[in-house]
Amino acid sequence: MKSSASRPLLTIESTSDEPFYRQIYHRVRASINQELLKPGDRLPSARQLAKELGLARGTIESAYALLSAEGYIQSQGQAGTRIAANVQPQPENKTQPQRAPTKAFGMHTPAILPLQMGLPAMDAFPRKIWARLGARYLRAMQPNDMKYPAQFGLPALRDAIAAYLHMARGIACTGAQVFITSGYRSTLQLIAHTLLKADDAVWVEDPGFPLTRQLLNNAQLIQVAVPVDAEGIQVHSGITLAKNARAAVVTPAHQSPLCVSLSLSRRLALLEWATQQKSWIIEDDYDGEYRYVSRPLPALKSLDTAGRVLYCGTFSKVLFPGIRLAYLVVPENEVQRFEQASLGFLEGMGEMNQAIVSAFMQEGHFSRHIHRMRKLYAERREHAAAGLNKILSQHLHIDPQPGGMHLVLRLHNGLNDVEIAARMRANGLYVHAISNWSSHASTERGLLVSFTNIESQAQAEKIGQKILGLL
């Protein structure tokens, strides 16, 4: 590596509060953005750089793993580690300091990796039933089925979703209030496009889903990070920070990522704030079906009498993410507004998958599948917690949670969750650090791991042994 390009890497501040691996990460990224490092330039090996800086090799590997995960560098075997060929310099924008910074975030990988969040139990999906319904649709296909798809979603699916939500989530709505989208990203973009404008303030949970912050930032909305405690988002803090915010994005059933449920008093306070301020509540109910200590809680939307809650649901967690189908339930008074906005914003989703999901729901397969998955996940959750705890109890503890599809592992002895998560990812374990889900410096530390594809305690113990080696 050229000396002019390597100089930022070689400047490590031993007195800084920032971990060494983060300093190296920021030096490399800054060098790319300043075009001191160009696509194809070779970086020193982890061993060589560790020797130059007098650091542990694992520190360098953690920095490189983070850079690789974000697409800045690529490992090319014997050819070494190089700056990615398609990387583009991204000068920092210093004119808008009020916007919340976003960290690069990805939940998706080409393969299913151990502990990967966002994935249901792929081995338990009823593929034969799905294939039969798909074959039936194809055999019955007529020319009219090949036209452009319905703009707001297949009417049969919209009606089926409305019927399911009334029964399972306590939401009284009609099919006309349901809009089919391609996923949470599309849903949130539609809401922002329809109801919000640039520089509107929006409450976000802290810690909270990184993609939400990224999408709001892209929409030029000002994010207000509102702390979360054991009862969910602190509504009184949100009012203190930004009483006049135009919206709040919340995960009431199982807060993302801490998995706590929003208490009834907080739910009522949130609804009262939205009603008084004429603001919007965006309820992301990403896995509300999965609760193991009691029956699933009714949705926040079920308490909405003033028409201030927009309910976001998805099939990614209850069916499979490759289906790319989600939905939005809007207040009855806002249907026409969303229809008008959708005409210039949404493209109709392909109707084949919609038709199959509609039949899957109408024939009772959907409810039975959720019931089976709730039982299966309760077992796998217990297996995962027992196996990991058996191996790692001296280094972490597992938060008790009422539901959800992941576990929160709290690290002991001041262990750095970001560094450990990067090290684990570099070794094939797809985990997230809670610190990366926070907008500001936070006392929350820990690892987020999925249990849905852990089939036994023995498998969890094996994964625990691998984690132990990486700690």
Side-chain angles (χ1 to χ4, degrees):
M1 195 167 57
K2 299 176 183 178
S3 60
S4 61
S6 64
R7 190 172 297 115
L9 281 176
L10 301 178
T11 305
I12 299 298
E13 300 177 13
S14 59
T15 59
S16 172
D17 291 334
E18 185 176 38
F20 289 143
Y21 85 98
R22 293 289 294 183
Q23 292 189 44
I24 295 170
Y25 161 79
H26 286 302
R27 301 295 193 277
V28 173
R29 198 173 72 166
S31 296
I32 293 171
N33 291 336
Q34 294 167 18
E35 299 188 71
L36 298 174
L37 286 174
K38 296 180 172 59
D41 282 356
R42 183 171 180 171
L43 293 174
S45 68
R47 184 188 302 274
Q48 177 187 347
L49 189 56
K51 185 176 180 180
E52 289 180 7
L53 300 179
L55 299 174
R57 181 177 174 182
T59 300
I60 311 301
E61 290 174 343
S62 294
Y64 280 11
L66 194 55
L67 289 161
S68 176
E70 296 186 2
Y72 288 104
I73 65 175
Q74 293 177 334
S75 176
Q76 299 180 350
Q78 293 184 349
T81 300
R82 298 180 181 273
I83 304 301
N86 61 348
V87 72
Q88 296 292 329
Q90 297 179 352
E92 294 184 3
N93 182 359
K94 300 181 180 180
T95 62
Q96 295 180 325
Q98 76 278 16
R99 305 245 179 243
T102 57
K103 301 178 179 73
F105 176 74
M107 302 250 335
H108 314 311
T109 61
I112 299 174
L113 298 179
L115 307 181
Q116 184 173 351
M117 289 176 59
L119 293 179
M122 298 302 197
D123 61 311
F125 184 75
R127 294 188 296 276
K128 289 184 179 179
I129 294 175
W130 189 263
R132 186 175 74 246
L133 295 176
R136 187 175 73 189
Y137 173 85
L138 290 172
R139 287 195 300 270
M141 182 181 286
Q142 299 295 319
N144 190 55
D145 297 317
M146 295 182 281
K147 64 177 180 14
Y148 285 103
Q151 181 70 39
F152 313 127
L154 189 68
L157 178 58
R158 299 171 76 188
D159 290 340
I161 291 172
Y164 165 74
L165 292 177
H166 180 72
M167 175 190 68
R169 308 298 292 130
I171 298 174
C173 65
T174 65
Q177 294 173 249
V178 179
F179 290 76
I180 305 301
T181 71
S182 61
Y184 176 67
R185 182 188 301 270
S186 177
T187 298
L188 194 56
Q189 288 173 337
L190 174 60
I191 294 171
H193 174 75
T194 307
L195 300 178
L196 304 174
K197 62 182 185 301
D199 294 322
D200 278 349
V202 178
W203 293 0
V204 293
E205 297 170 327
D206 192 23
F209 191 33
L211 180 59
T212 296
R213 299 200 302 272
Q214 180 184 357
L215 294 173
L216 296 178
N217 192 66
N218 292 344
Q220 298 184 318
L221 298 166
I222 299 173
Q223 299 166 57
V224 180
V226 182
V228 172
D229 60 21
E231 294 187 59
I233 190 170
Q234 297 178 8
V235 180
H236 66 281
S237 295
I239 293 173
T240 301
L241 292 167
K243 182 178 181 179
N244 296 324
R246 290 291 301 131
V249 185
V250 294
T251 50
H254 305 126
Q255 196 276 332
S256 177
L258 302 184
C259 258
V260 298
S261 297
L262 189 63
S263 67
L264 178 58
S265 61
R266 296 271 179 92
R267 291 176 182 233
L268 296 177
L270 186 62
L271 289 166
E272 182 181 6
W273 163 78
T275 302
Q276 290 180 350
Q277 298 299 133
K278 291 184 169 43
S279 299
W280 302 104
I281 299 172
I282 301 167
E283 178 179 11
D284 178 13
D285 195 24
Y286 63 101
D287 67 357
E289 291 85 357
Y290 299 126
R291 186 174 176 88
Y292 313 114
V293 297
S294 64
R295 291 182 58 83
L297 297 175
L300 176 65
K301 176 69 176 172
S302 68
L303 300 174
D304 178 29
T305 59
R308 307 312 302 177
V309 179
L310 299 111
Y311 179 88
C312 309
T314 179
F315 291 107
S316 293
K317 306 297 186 297
V318 292
L319 296 181
F320 55 93
I323 197 172
R324 304 310 301 152
L325 280 180
Y327 53 90
L328 169 66
V329 179
V330 306
E332 187 173 10
N333 292 339
E334 303 298 328
V335 168
Q336 187 174 0
R337 188 175 180 182
F338 270 85
E339 287 180 346
Q340 190 64 36
S342 297
L343 292 174
F345 182 81
L346 280 183
E347 293 186 8
M349 302 294 299
E351 288 191 355
M352 179 175 175
N353 275 343
Q354 293 188 64
I356 297 173
V357 174
S358 175
F360 195 76
M361 298 181 77
Q362 291 171 346
E363 296 178 17
H365 304 300
F366 187 71
S367 295
R368 287 192 291 271
H369 176 62
I370 290 176
H371 179 75
R372 286 194 300 268
M373 290 301 98
R374 190 179 296 134
K375 182 179 179 181
L376 178 66
Y377 288 162
E379 295 171 353
R380 292 190 173 183
R381 176 173 175 257
E382 185 175 341
H383 291 328
L388 293 175
N389 189 63
K390 180 178 179 180
I391 304 300
L392 300 168
S393 60
Q394 293 184 346
H395 302 280
L396 55 83
H397 70 272
I398 301 174
D399 277 356
Q401 300 159 205
M405 296 171 65
H406 69 269
L407 298 173
V408 180
L409 312 184
R410 298 289 186 174
L411 300 173
H412 297 167
N413 305 320
L415 293 172
N416 187 300
D417 59 346
V418 177
E419 183 171 351
I420 291 172
R423 196 180 305 154
M424 290 172 68
R425 285 199 186 202
N427 286 272
L429 298 176
Y430 203 77
V431 305
H432 290 267
I434 293 179
S435 296
N436 282 340
W437 290 48
S438 181
S439 301
H440 302 115
S442 171
T443 58
E444 299 287 354
R445 296 286 186 273
L447 302 174
L448 306 173
V449 303
S450 172
F451 59 80
T452 55
N453 286 286
I454 295 180
E455 299 179 31
S456 66
Q457 181 172 335
Q459 183 184 1
E461 290 177 15
K462 185 176 180 181
I463 293 173
Q465 291 287 357
K466 187 171 185 179
I467 296 174
L468 183 63
L470 295 172
L471 291 180

